[in-house]
Amino acid sequence: MSSAGDSPTAVPRSCYCTCQAISTKIGFSDGKRTPQRDELLGAQQCARCDWIERGRNYGVLAIKDAIVCTLLELKLQTFFSFSIHISLVLSSLSRRGMAPSLQVRDFKKDVVYLFQFPGNETASSMSPYCVKVEAFCRLHNLKFERRNTFSERGDNGLLPFIELNGVQICESQVILNRLAEHFGLKNYEDARAEGIGHSLERMIENHTLHLLRIDLNRTLPDLVKVIVKQRVPGFAVDAVSSLGASYMRKKTRGGVKDAIGQFTAEEYDKMLRNDMIQLQNVLGANQFLMGASPTRVDCLALAHIGHSYFRLPQSRSYIHELVDSAELSVFKQYLERTVKTIFGDNFNNKE
């Protein structure tokens, strides 16, 4: 066997790793590397190094190409997500420590200026939370002006937000509470009704809404395309819509899993059907959920369930099958009655 003092010889190939196991096996207990030892090791490469050197024969390049394509797609999705998040972060940082910048400086006393996403021919806004605030204003006959926007954001970086008497208010639930407090509005007729109404509100927004989001994933590209068409050139609509839908779908699944758990699509559908049936049971023979007149909880039911049904009637999903079924015919009549009572003929008003 060659000794450490032998003159160096050419090494046709060497191992890619230390090959400690092979070194020990053939008598190099110290595990040191020398040209002479490499010459011997070269003929006994370990399986790992041989796999690396002959990777082409194992289709490694094809696998590599597939990985590169996947990473490229992930980078595009990450860029889309990053672009949205960085704009919100910068917007938040620019306002940190400062009073919210008012959009309406020459405001009128007690007029609610509602900043929201635009709507389309079948819904007053593409956002259920915007519909929720507008429905509440209409229910209580508050003076309001709708300001459709994509670029403006509240101090929290989101829509909707309102401005009332020179004060900005964000988050739909906070908005409703502040409006009720400022105008002295009564959400329900008594304490018992308020307890029931509050429970139904939390059920709709903390459970039913998440199930509706899962259902929306089935037609999400159609919804995103309606929004994107108002913001990008025609040639880019399909590409941007696809990326946007992929980004939103990923966020939706994560949010739903955190809120109510991870289930199969069939199990989610069963839960949504059960929620709808229970709401219909609460409705009973009443005109509205809490009795003969609409209340705050009807604004939420319309904003989330009704909005999901009316928003894009041509893009049908499970919620359309449920509402159109004979089993839920009473609830369908309730939705139609609610939108007519609160919005009149203005639910499809884009301006």
Side-chain angles (χ1 to χ4, degrees), residues 65 157 163 320:
D65 291 341
E163 291 182 1
H320 295 88

Side-chain angles (χ1 to χ4, degrees), residues 217-238:
N217 280 344
R218 293 167 170 142
T219 58
L220 192 54
D222 295 334
L223 174 62
V224 175
K225 186 172 290 187
V226 170
I227 299 172
V228 166
K229 281 196 302 186
Q230 304 179 54
R231 298 287 293 167
V232 303
F235 69 87
V237 168
D238 288 341

Side-chain angles (χ1 to χ4, degrees), residues 172-228:
S172 64
Q173 197 70 4
V174 175
I175 292 172
L176 266 57
N177 292 339
R178 292 285 293 276
L179 289 176
E181 179 182 347
H182 178 80
F183 291 102
L185 305 176
K186 194 174 182 180
N187 290 316
Y188 302 99
E189 64 179 11
D190 55 36
R192 181 176 182 277
E194 186 162 0
I196 296 173
H198 176 76
S199 299
L200 291 174
E201 287 181 30
R202 295 306 90 216
M203 168 190 164
I204 292 171
E205 289 208 317
N206 294 342
H207 193 262
T208 310
L209 170 60
H210 292 291
L211 299 172
L212 290 168
R213 284 175 171 168
I214 287 293
D215 185 51
L216 174 61
N217 280 344
R218 293 167 170 142
T219 58
L220 192 54
D222 295 334
L223 174 62
V224 175
K225 186 172 290 187
V226 170
I227 299 172
V228 166

Side-chain angles (χ1 to χ4, degrees), residues 68 280 308 344:
V68 168
Q280 182 171 262
S308 297

Side-chain angles (χ1 to χ4, degrees), residues 63-243:
I63 297 173
K64 175 186 174 184
D65 291 341
I67 293 174
V68 168
C69 290
T70 301
L71 290 175
L72 178 59
E73 181 180 355
L74 289 174
K75 284 181 179 180
L76 289 172
Q77 293 180 15
T78 301
F79 175 77
F80 186 89
S81 173
F82 177 77
S83 299
I84 292 176
H85 281 88
I86 199 64
S87 64
L88 295 180
V89 170
L90 290 176
S91 177
S92 176
L93 289 175
S94 66
R95 292 188 296 265
R96 184 166 293 178
M98 301 172 57
S101 177
L102 293 178
Q103 303 299 321
V104 182
R105 298 189 181 278
D106 57 341
F107 57 84
K108 300 175 184 177
K109 181 177 173 56
D110 287 345
V111 172
V112 178
Y113 297 94
L114 170 58
F115 292 82
Q116 64 165 28
F117 288 109
N120 66 349
E121 293 78 7
T122 54
S124 63
S125 173
M126 285 293 98
S127 164
Y129 296 103
C130 296
V131 172
K132 169 183 169 182
V133 175
E134 182 178 355
F136 187 81
C137 290
R138 289 182 177 276
L139 174 66
H140 293 285
N141 295 313
L142 303 181
K143 294 180 180 179
F144 74 96
E145 292 184 13
R146 190 164 55 189
R147 303 293 177 91
N148 291 336
T149 181
F150 282 105
S151 58
E152 303 298 340
R153 290 290 189 273
D155 197 43
N156 63 347
L158 302 173
L159 288 172
F161 69 92
I162 68 168
E163 291 182 1
L164 175 65
N165 296 334
V167 177
Q168 184 189 106
I169 307 171
C170 305
E171 298 288 351
S172 64
Q173 197 70 4
V174 175
I175 292 172
L176 266 57
N177 292 339
R178 292 285 293 276
L179 289 176
E181 179 182 347
H182 178 80
F183 291 102
L185 305 176
K186 194 174 182 180
N187 290 316
Y188 302 99
E189 64 179 11
D190 55 36
R192 181 176 182 277
E194 186 162 0
I196 296 173
H198 176 76
S199 299
L200 291 174
E201 287 181 30
R202 295 306 90 216
M203 168 190 164
I204 292 171
E205 289 208 317
N206 294 342
H207 193 262
T208 310
L209 170 60
H210 292 291
L211 299 172
L212 290 168
R213 284 175 171 168
I214 287 293
D215 185 51
L216 174 61
N217 280 344
R218 293 167 170 142
T219 58
L220 192 54
D222 295 334
L223 174 62
V224 175
K225 186 172 290 187
V226 170
I227 299 172
V228 166
K229 281 196 302 186
Q230 304 179 54
R231 298 287 293 167
V232 303
F235 69 87
V237 168
D238 288 341
V240 176
S241 298
S242 177
L243 287 174

